[in-house]
Amino acid sequence: MFAAREAAKDGPARAVLVADAIDLAAKAQAGLRDALAGRLTPAQRRAAARLNIDRMTRALGLIASLATLLEEDPMTTFTQAVDAVDALTNQLQAFTENPHYLPRFFDTFFGLRTALGNASDRFAALHSGEASEASVFATVLDRCEQARAIGIALTPGDAAVSRYAGAVQRAITAINGQGGTAARPSLRGTLRLRSGSALTVRGGRRPEPAPEPYYTSLVKLFPVEAVTLYPLAIGISAGDIVIRLILIGFITLFIVALRWFGTQEERGGDADVVAIAVSVISFELYAASLGGFGYLPGGPEQTSQLLAFITIMWVALVPFVLRRARS
């Protein structure tokens, strides 16, 4: 019973089964105790025993159904999780308009409604219904159902609203991927080019992707980290071209290493090799325009003007070309 009670903490449906099983077991225990302590005839004791054994049998049956429910939970789908989030969102929206809670609790409900909406948008953009994410969907489903169950019986009191707000906050934490799931590396995915983003989901259908803003792609492709390090390399080399070329090579390796992780998906996967190559070429052109590889026959001024023009055109046009190619 103790193990079953612990398992019931993961969802309202399981909690109901466990509560019924515990109630039956408690009644059977009390009935057997009374039968042994009372002055009953043998026939009455046999009848009491049959009644309470039946209760224990039904309690065990409920625990068995709990095990079945636990086995089915990993099959929770993206659509079920999204529907649960939507249902909780609608419940919060109803509370913001319910005169029994206004104006006393309006700020609380409105703040939760806004936070849940933002979390829902991020959840829809980051997840696509892959089977490997079933545990994430199950956690979101359970937390949202727990919060909704508390909300259904909610009364306009400080303690009750505070308990409900805590349940909603736990649901938001689960939706944001911070409730018992492994933390994602903070760098991974931050520099990956997005072909689109999904802001809302209804009925399990993802909307048509909207292209990533041009300036976002531009910032991700141009290696600002290398541009920051290059003046340091110039100062260290002190005019020695061999040392300067070695330092440029180290900076290039740093770009590749940083963006190898930064261009992976948040949940892992392959790096975006094309985006990495574009960033490396952008830096090499930038360094060349400042004389990092020497000068053209026309001298420093011609080198700077020609390569600066090529660099500007490259940096400006490549994000546009990649966006069109991946749309």
Side-chain angles (χ1 to χ4, degrees), residues 30-184:
L32 289 171
R33 188 186 304 113
D34 293 341
L36 292 173
R39 295 180 178 179
L40 302 177
T41 65
Q44 289 173 328
R45 284 197 180 96
R46 284 195 296 272
R50 282 196 298 270
L51 172 63
N52 291 298
I53 289 174
D54 180 64
R55 286 172 174 169
M56 289 300 297
T57 301
R58 282 187 286 155
L60 291 173
L62 289 173
I63 297 302
S65 64
L66 170 66
T68 301
L69 186 58
L70 285 171
E71 290 174 358
E72 292 175 352
D73 273 349
M75 299 307 294
T76 302
T77 65
F78 175 73
T79 302
Q80 289 174 304
V82 169
D83 288 344
V85 174
D86 287 346
L88 182 58
T89 302
N90 293 336
Q91 186 182 66
L92 277 168
Q93 183 62 37
F95 281 134
T96 64
E97 302 167 359
N98 191 327
H100 292 94
Y101 299 92
L102 303 179
R104 184 178 176 185
F105 299 109
F106 175 79
D107 290 344
T108 298
F109 290 132
F110 184 77
L112 290 171
R113 168 66 181 83
T114 302
L116 181 61
N118 293 336
S120 177
D121 290 345
R122 287 192 294 272
F123 182 79
L126 290 175
H127 301 281
S128 58
E130 297 174 4
S132 60
E133 298 180 308
S135 61
V136 176
F137 304 149
T139 301
V140 171
L141 177 64
D142 280 344
R143 297 298 183 269
C144 290
E145 286 182 345
Q146 288 175 12
R148 281 194 68 236
I150 295 173
I152 290 172
L154 189 63
T155 57
D158 289 332
V161 172
S162 177
R163 180 168 173 261
Y164 176 64
V168 174
Q169 189 57 54
R170 286 191 293 273
I172 293 172
T173 300
I175 295 168
N176 286 330
Q178 300 167 0
T181 57
R184 294 191 299 266

Side-chain angles (χ1 to χ4, degrees), residues 3 15 37 54 87 104 111 156-157 202 219 268 275 296 314 325:
D54 180 64
R104 184 178 176 185
R202 292 295 182 270
V219 170
L296 297 173
W314 168 267

Side-chain angles (χ1 to χ4, degrees), residues 265-291:
E265 288 284 0
E266 287 85 351
R267 298 180 297 278
D270 296 332
D272 190 341
V273 178
V274 174
I276 295 173
V278 169
S279 296
V280 169
I281 294 173
S282 298
F283 168 66
E284 305 299 340
L285 286 173
Y286 169 79
S289 68
L290 297 179

